[in-house]
Amino acid sequence: MYWEKEYETMSRGQIKEIQLKRLKSLVERLYNNVPFYRKKFKERGILPGDIKTLEDIRHLPFTTKQDLRDTYPFGMFAVPMEEVVRLHGSSGTTGKPVVVGYTKNDLKTWGSLMARCMTMAGVSSKDVVQNAYGYGLFTGGLGVHYGAETLGAAVVPMSGGNTAKQLMLMQDFGTSVLACTPTYALYMAEEAHAGGVDWNKIKLKVGIFGAEPWSDAMRQQLEERWNITALDIYGLSEVLGPGVACECLCKKGLHINEDHFIAEVIDPETGEQLPYGEKGELVFTSLTKEAFPVLRYRTRDISVLYEDKCQCGRTLVRMERVTGRTDDMLIIRGVNVFPSQVESVLLEFGETEPHYLLVVDRKGAMDDLEIWVEVSDRMFSDKVRGLEDLEKRLKSRLFSVLGISAKIKLVEPKSIPRSEGKAKRIVDKRLK
Ligand code: DLL
């Protein structure tokens, strides 16, 4: 089943034609309406008329998260504020979020791209979609919500949490589609198996899971525990929100909605474009967004693109599921965490050394973060009371900076292995 068959199954040549036409008009809009891009184009001596082929995209500048921070909050918007009808933000917890905006048209496009993704996943207007992505600045909740409505399905706007009620409504409403992060779906499955659920009343058939990396092993667990087909959905606020790409029932990678986004894979060191089939950093250009278009946005997500036709009949390029990033950002219980945030806290405390390790694991369905911290010589020989007090203060300060709670393990000076190359700050056991 297709939502917009003509776009989803057109020849590669036709897709490229549409992309070129839209790229030309995007560059024109950026040049005329966004001072940030006009300056960048001028520095490189580029005029909108210089874009003649799709390959010319290689001459255009990248956009980074830092660029978006520097123009906070609305500096990248390409339309006047009176045309903006919605604002969302990235899921970072410290400092200012990255702000993205949408016009009425943008919301319509987003709704239909999400409807397209859900159709790809086998969802139809007959379904009851329980939406347990968080509603709020995060794009997951409202993104899925409007997609399901556009499709004509019945959406249950649960948002995240409140697991007992989630399970109750799932049974009472005959929910057939569950949309949430894979970790939350696993947690709900655990609770459901722990008792109280009448499995005859569970009508789930599909899970649309994303917003964080997950593995095929986890897919298998989710499929077995819920007796469903579990599919991967990808997106990021800076480019759209959920709906940039989604798996079809063939489970051979995620189809990118290429009539709205140009996807490239680049070598993260040199910035050079890599051919299909090679692994590198994903870069997206949003072709049709009006309020907040981005040119060659560096996602930091690592993937591979495949151009061969999928058995589902779609000709849209597929991306391999994202399991890693070029930076050291971790997503723990849905929150973006950078080791540098931990470092900055340790530097505030005189009693610790800036040697630390973030150990992330999955206990049952929950992500678990333990932070190993080396204490200074002076402190280590101190009384136990002093150490306990330090642990408490660290825990509370880290909670306020990271936005999630972590276990603290104070270790002896010089006990965390030193590295001769890049420091190894992270042990992530979740994707094993
Ligand atoms: O996570 C949008 C979203 C909502 C996608 C609901 C899917 C479902 P951000 O909060 O801006 O937006 O986070 C974007 O999350 O760069 C990836 O690192 C990661 N991510 C998103 N989807 C996936 C996925 C939303 N399916 C960042 N697999 C991205 C792996 C994912 N990582």
Side-chain angles (χ1 to χ4, degrees):
M1 285 289 281
Y2 305 103
W3 181 249
E4 288 167 301
K5 188 171 182 201
E6 60 169 307
Y7 290 105
E8 295 174 65
T9 61
M10 58 177 51
S11 72
R12 298 297 305 151
Q14 284 170 315
I15 289 180
K16 288 186 173 152
E17 225 172 86
I18 290 188
Q19 287 187 325
L20 178 60
K21 194 166 138 232
R22 292 183 169 175
L23 178 65
K24 285 180 177 172
S25 110
L26 169 74
V27 171
E28 185 99 37
R29 277 191 288 134
L30 293 177
Y31 189 87
N32 292 329
N33 302 332
V34 187
F36 168 86
Y37 284 113
R38 183 162 50 241
K39 183 163 168 273
K40 286 223 164 186
F41 290 163
K42 280 193 168 153
E43 278 164 13
R44 291 166 180 240
I46 299 170
L47 287 170
D50 294 340
I51 305 299
K52 302 272 193 279
T53 68
L54 264 189
E55 284 67 46
D56 289 335
I57 197 169
R58 284 178 298 180
H59 306 303
L60 297 174
F62 290 117
T63 310
T64 63
K65 199 169 203 122
Q66 191 56 46
D67 293 330
L68 307 186
R69 292 216 168 95
D70 293 345
T71 52
Y72 177 87
F74 307 142
M76 292 289 233
F77 286 13
V79 298
M81 270 318 267
E82 68 234 45
E83 289 179 37
V84 173
V85 296
R86 175 93 68 76
L87 298 168
H88 277 288
S90 67
S91 50
T93 52
T94 47
K96 310 273 190 192
V98 163
V99 182
V100 298
Y102 304 78
T103 63
K104 276 189 183 159
N105 258 336
D106 290 335
L107 291 184
K108 225 169 117 195
T109 309
W110 190 11
S112 90
L113 286 179
M114 274 305 299
R116 196 194 273 192
C117 287
M118 295 174 88
T119 308
M120 233 183 257
V123 182
S124 77
S125 57
K126 299 199 182 90
D127 282 300
V128 176
V129 178
Q130 190 154 328
N131 185 10
Y133 283 112
Y135 281 64
L137 270 189
F138 175 55
T139 52
L142 288 175
V144 168
H145 183 99
Y146 282 93
E149 280 190 4
T150 305
L151 181 63
V155 57
V156 188
M158 274 302 289
S159 200
N162 211 345
T163 307
K165 191 162 184 182
Q166 300 266 10
L167 293 174
M168 178 183 89
L169 297 187
M170 199 180 273
Q171 299 170 80
D172 296 348
F173 294 175
T175 300
S176 51
V177 178
L178 175 63
C180 62
T181 60
T183 33
Y184 189 47
L186 206 56
Y187 177 69
M188 273 199 250
E190 271 184 3
E191 294 289 297
H193 283 280
V197 162
D198 175 357
W199 284 92
N200 289 320
K201 287 190 178 164
I202 297 285
K203 302 278 183 274
L204 272 193
K205 56 172 199 181
V206 178
I208 300 183
F209 304 134
E212 64 186 9
W214 52 305
S215 59
D216 262 328
M218 192 150 163
R219 180 194 325 255
Q220 219 176 340
Q221 283 192 0
L222 284 164
E223 294 195 329
E224 278 166 16
R225 292 187 190 184
W226 280 118
N227 193 21
I228 54 168
T229 302
L231 299 170
D232 195 3
I233 185 163
Y234 171 87
L236 58 166
S237 349
E238 296 88 332
V239 176
L240 177 79
V244 174
C246 188
E247 269 184 329
C248 65
L249 295 164
C250 302
K251 300 180 185 166
K252 291 268 163 54
L254 295 80
H255 288 286
I256 296 172
N257 286 316
E258 277 183 293
D259 43 334
H260 295 271
F261 309 102
I262 295 180
E264 301 171 75
V265 162
I266 61 160
D267 176 331
E269 300 293 327
T270 64
E272 288 300 314
Q273 216 182 57
L274 296 173
Y276 288 133
E278 280 191 35
K279 192 173 257 211
E281 180 182 343
L282 275 173
V283 169
F284 286 104
T285 296
S286 66
L287 294 170
T288 51
K289 286 251 298 286
E290 294 178 342
F292 184 86
V294 280
L295 190 61
R296 306 192 82 200
Y297 184 71
R298 294 191 58 162
T299 63
R300 303 270 169 200
D301 292 322
I302 296 170
S303 183
V304 184
L305 298 178
Y306 298 107
E307 200 187 22
D308 54 308
K309 192 168 168 181
C310 182
Q311 278 188 338
C312 71
R314 286 180 185 79
T315 47
L316 302 169
V317 149
R318 283 161 297 135
M319 56 179 261
E320 196 174 87
R321 65 157 74 239
V322 170
T323 50
R325 292 180 52 88
T326 61
D327 60 15
D328 46 10
M329 185 181 91
L330 289 160
I331 303 179
I332 303 174
R333 281 173 245 142
V335 175
N336 298 351
V337 173
F338 289 93
S340 54
Q341 295 173 300
V342 174
E343 191 162 312
S344 68
V345 168
L346 297 185
L347 289 168
E348 290 172 14
F349 283 69
E351 309 103 307
T352 55
E353 301 287 327
H355 292 293
Y356 59 94
L357 197 63
L358 275 67
V359 182
V360 196
D361 204 351
R362 188 158 279 146
K363 297 273 159 64
M366 282 294 275
D367 290 336
D368 183 76
L369 170 64
E370 186 171 79
I371 303 176
W372 296 17
V373 181
E374 268 186 26
V375 293
S376 62
D377 271 322
R378 177 181 56 79
M379 193 64 202
F380 209 74
S381 48
D382 203 354
K383 290 189 247 34
V384 177
R385 276 258 312 276
L387 286 175
E388 275 173 2
D389 172 64
L390 172 64
E391 189 180 313
K392 247 192 231 150
R393 282 185 293 127
L394 265 176
K395 198 174 159 75
S396 123
R397 180 72 187 129
L398 281 164
F399 179 72
S400 71
V401 170
L402 302 179
I404 56 167
S405 71
K407 290 191 192 113
I408 309 293
K409 183 169 159 180
L410 297 178
V411 297
E412 281 181 51
K414 306 205 175 46
S415 62
I416 292 178
R418 304 294 192 255
S419 158
E420 288 176 356
K422 283 183 202 256
K424 190 167 162 33
R425 306 281 194 212
I426 297 168
V427 177
D428 194 341
K429 302 179 176 166
R430 293 173 301 181
L431 288 168
K432 298 274 153 54

